[in-house]
C-alpha cells in the first residue's frame, strides 16, 4: 500500500507545491525548490518523501518558523483544492508535506503549531503531526484536543479522536495514551453522538485501540453507552470487534452474545487438504445448540499462520453470528482465498485451522500449503 501511495508524491506534486508557494510568498525560488527535492526524491520511500518536501519548503521560505507558518497553511489549502479553507475532510494527501512542516519544525512553538493544525487538518489529517506534541507538550495538546471536540468542522473533531489513538497506524508511539486510557475515553466520550459517520468511526477505532491493553474498561464503557437508546449500536459493535474476536466475556455480554459455547460440533472440516498460494479453502461446520433457551453465538475461525522461521501466530477471522433455539442445528459454509496481503506473507507448511464459538476453540482441522510463490 505504502509503495503505491508514494507514487503520488512525485514531480507533479513538487511543482504544484512550488507554484502555490511562489504565488503566496514573493521571492520564493520556485525552480530551486523543485531541483532540490527532485535530486533526492526518486530514491526515497513514502514518509521520507514527505519529510524531504517539508524540510525543503522550510529552507526555501527562509526566516523564522512563526513567520512562515501562515504561508504553509495557505499553501496546504491551495494544494488540496480548498482555497477557502472549508471542511475538505482531511483527505487530500497532497497536503501531507505541509502538515509535516509543523510536525518537524514547530515543536518549540506548541501554541501556534496546534492552532495551525486546526486549519491544516481540513486539507490532510494532522493525526501524524500531532504525535510529537503529545509526547512533548501533553497537557497543552490535550487542552487543544478538548476544544477541537466542539469544533463545527468535522475534520477538526476527528483529529481530537484519531490523533490521540493509542496505536495509531503509521503514527509515532505515545506512552501516556497507552498507560492512561482515561485520556482517550474523555475525548471520545464527547464525540460518541457526533453527527458525522467518519468521526464516529474514529471513536470506534480509538476504543478498539484502548481495548488492546484495557479490555475490561472498554467492555464496561460499551455497556454504559449501549444503555443509552440514542447511541448508534453499530459504532459500539465496531469498537468491540477486537474483543469479540478474543472472546472477551464482557464484550460478548454487552452485545447480547452467549459467553459460553453451549453447542455441540457435529462437523468441522477444511477442504482441500492441500493447496497452493492463490487457491481457496472451504470451511464447513455443523452446530447444534445444547442450551435450554435461545442464544446468539459468535462463530469465527482461526488460522495459525506459519512464520519465516517456522513459528506460528493465530489470526481470528469473522465467520457468522447465529441465533439458535434449544436443540436447533445449523450448517455454515465459508470460503477464503489464501493469498499474500500487505500485512501478511504465507509460508509453506501445515496451517492449523480452528473453529471458535463464543470465544472458545471447539474443533480443529487444517490445510497444507504446498508452496508460497504466486
Amino acid at each position: 500500500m505504502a509503495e503505491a501511495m508514494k507514487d503520488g508524491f512525485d514531480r507533479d506534486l513538487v511543482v504544484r507545491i512550488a507554484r502555490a508557494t511562489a504565488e503566496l510568498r514573493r521571492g520564493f525560488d520556485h525552480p530551486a525548490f523543485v531541483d532540490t527535492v527532485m535530486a533526492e526524491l526518486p530514491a526515497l520511500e513514502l514518509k521520507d518523501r514527505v519529510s524531504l518536501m517539508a524540510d525543503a519548503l522550510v529552507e526555501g521560505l527562509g526566516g523564522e518558523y512563526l513567520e512562515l507558518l501562515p504561508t504553509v497553511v495557505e499553501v496546504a489549502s491551495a494544494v488540496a483544492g480548498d482555497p477557502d479553507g472549508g471542511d475538505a475532510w482531511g483527505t487530500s494527501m497532497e497536503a501531507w508535506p505541509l502538515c509535516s512542516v509543523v510536525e518537524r519544525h514547530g515543536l518549540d512553538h506548541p501554541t501556534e503549531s496546534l492552532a495551525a493544525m486546526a486549519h491544516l487538518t481540513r486539507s490532510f489529517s494532522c493525526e501524524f503531526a500531532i504525535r510529537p506534541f503529545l509526547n512533548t507538550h501533553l497537557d497543552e495538546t490535550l487542552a487543544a484536543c478538548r476544544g477541537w471536540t466542539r469544533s463545527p468542522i468535522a475534520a477538526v473533531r476527528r483529529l481530537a479522536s484519531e490523533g490521540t489513538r493509542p496505536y495509531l497506524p503509521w503514527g509515532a508511539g505515545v506512552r501516556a495514551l497507552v498507560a492512561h486510557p482515561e485520556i482517550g475515553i474523555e475525548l471520545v466520550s464527547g464525540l460518541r453522538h457526533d453527527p458525522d459517520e467518519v468521526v464516529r468511526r474514529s471513536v470506534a477505532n480509538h476504543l478498539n485501540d484502548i481495548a488492546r491493553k484495557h479490555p475490561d474498561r472498554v467492555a464496561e464503557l460499551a455497556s454504559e453507552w449501549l444503555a443509552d437508546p440514542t447511541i448508534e449500536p453499530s459504532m459500539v459493535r465496531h469498537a468491540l470487534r477486537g474483543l469479540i474476536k478474543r472472546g472477551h466475556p464482557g464484550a460478548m455480554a454487552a452485545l447480547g452474545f452467549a459467553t459460553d459455547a453451549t453447542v455441540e460440533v457435529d462437523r468441522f472440516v477444511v477442504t482441500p487438504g492441500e493447496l497452493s498460494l492463490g487457491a481457496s479453502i472451504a470451511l464447513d461446520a455443523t452446530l447444534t445448540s445444547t442450551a435450554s433457551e435461545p442464544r446468539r453465538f459468535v462463530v469465527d475461525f482461526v488460522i495459525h499462520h506459519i512464520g519465516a522461521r517456522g513459528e506460528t501466530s493465530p489470526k481470528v477471522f469473522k465467520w457468522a453470528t447465529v441465533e439458535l433455539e434449544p436443540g436447533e442445528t445449523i450448517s455454515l459454509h465459508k470460503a477464503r482465498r489464501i493469498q499474500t496481503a500487505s500485512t501478511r506473507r504465507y509460508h509453506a507448511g501445515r496451517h492449523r485451522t480452528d473453529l471458535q464459538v463464543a470465544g472458545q476453540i471447539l474443533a480443529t482441522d487444517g490445510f497444507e500449503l504446498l508452496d508460497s510463490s504466486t
Side-chain angles (χ1 to χ4, degrees), residues 316-327:
V316 180
F317 297 92
K318 185 173 179 57
W319 191 340
T321 58
V322 298
E323 185 164 353
L324 298 179
E325 297 291 330

Side-chain angles (χ1 to χ4, degrees), residues 43-365:
L44 300 179
E45 297 302 320
L46 175 60
K47 281 196 169 183
D48 288 335
R49 292 188 180 200
V50 172
S51 298
L52 173 65
M53 293 183 197
D55 295 346
L57 184 62
V58 170
E59 181 180 353
L61 285 170
E64 297 295 326
Y65 170 78
L66 293 181
E67 295 175 355
L68 61 86
L69 187 57
T71 300
V72 169
V73 173
E74 290 187 70
V75 172
S77 292
V79 169
D82 182 36
D84 296 326
D87 191 2
W89 238 129
T91 56
S92 179
M93 291 197 70
E94 292 89 346
W96 188 356
L98 289 309
C99 300
S100 189
V101 168
V102 178
E103 176 183 1
R104 296 174 63 79
H105 298 274
L107 203 55
D108 291 337
H109 304 279
T111 301
E112 295 83 359
S113 294
L114 290 166
M117 286 186 206
H119 296 280
L120 289 165
T121 203
R122 305 178 194 185
S123 300
F124 178 73
S125 175
C126 281
E127 63 200 61
F128 306 128
I130 199 175
R131 307 297 278 193
F133 292 83
L134 287 163
N135 275 318
T136 308
H137 307 287
L138 181 62
D139 291 342
E140 184 171 355
T141 305
L142 290 178
C145 288
R146 293 185 192 102
W148 293 341
T149 64
R150 300 185 294 274
S151 171
I153 305 298
V156 178
R157 299 195 303 274
R158 178 184 179 274
L159 178 58
S161 170
E162 196 72 9
T164 57
R165 284 178 58 179
Y167 298 100
L168 178 69
W170 292 9
V174 181
R175 290 184 180 180
L177 300 178
V178 176
H180 304 288
E182 296 304 324
I183 290 175
I185 288 174
E186 177 195 355
L187 293 171
V188 300
S189 292
L191 297 170
R192 67 186 186 278
H193 294 298
D194 197 276
D196 195 288
E197 181 182 356
V198 181
V199 177
R200 298 194 304 274
R201 189 170 186 85
S202 177
V203 169
N205 289 334
H206 192 132
L207 287 181
N208 185 57
D209 277 8
I210 293 176
R212 288 172 59 173
K213 291 291 185 181
H214 308 277
D216 294 343
R217 180 68 183 96
V218 171
E220 175 189 9
L221 183 66
S223 294
E224 294 173 5
W225 285 12
L226 287 168
D228 178 356
T230 65
I231 200 71
E232 181 186 42
S234 63
M235 184 268 288
V236 181
R237 288 195 298 269
H238 193 63
L240 295 179
R241 67 191 186 278
L243 291 182
I244 294 297
K245 286 184 175 182
R246 288 159 58 182
H248 187 276
M252 293 279 193
L255 296 181
F257 294 116
T259 58
D260 55 342
T262 51
V263 297
E264 184 176 288
V265 180
D266 302 311
R267 179 173 185 265
F268 175 62
V269 62
V270 179
T271 55
E274 297 180 345
L275 70 154
S276 296
L277 192 66
S280 296
I281 59 170
L283 302 96
D284 289 279
T286 303
L287 311 175
T288 299
S289 174
T290 60
S292 59
E293 58 188 19
R295 288 193 174 181
R296 296 176 64 220
F297 297 99
V298 175
V299 182
D300 298 314
F301 64 97
V302 186
I303 297 179
H304 295 257
H305 295 96
I306 299 175
R309 294 183 295 275
E311 76 283 5
T312 60
S313 61
K315 170 68 175 177
V316 180
F317 297 92
K318 185 173 179 57
W319 191 340
T321 58
V322 298
E323 185 164 353
L324 298 179
E325 297 291 330
E328 182 179 359
T329 297
I330 188 171
S331 293
L332 301 173
H333 175 81
K334 183 77 171 182
R336 181 169 183 83
R337 189 177 182 190
I338 304 302
Q339 60 182 345
T340 299
S342 60
T343 57
R344 180 181 303 107
R345 291 186 61 85
Y346 277 90
H347 299 273
R350 177 72 176 176
H351 286 66
R352 172 182 156 186
T353 307
D354 300 327
L355 171 66
Q356 178 174 291
V357 181
Q360 301 173 38
I361 302 300
L362 298 187
T364 296
D365 198 2

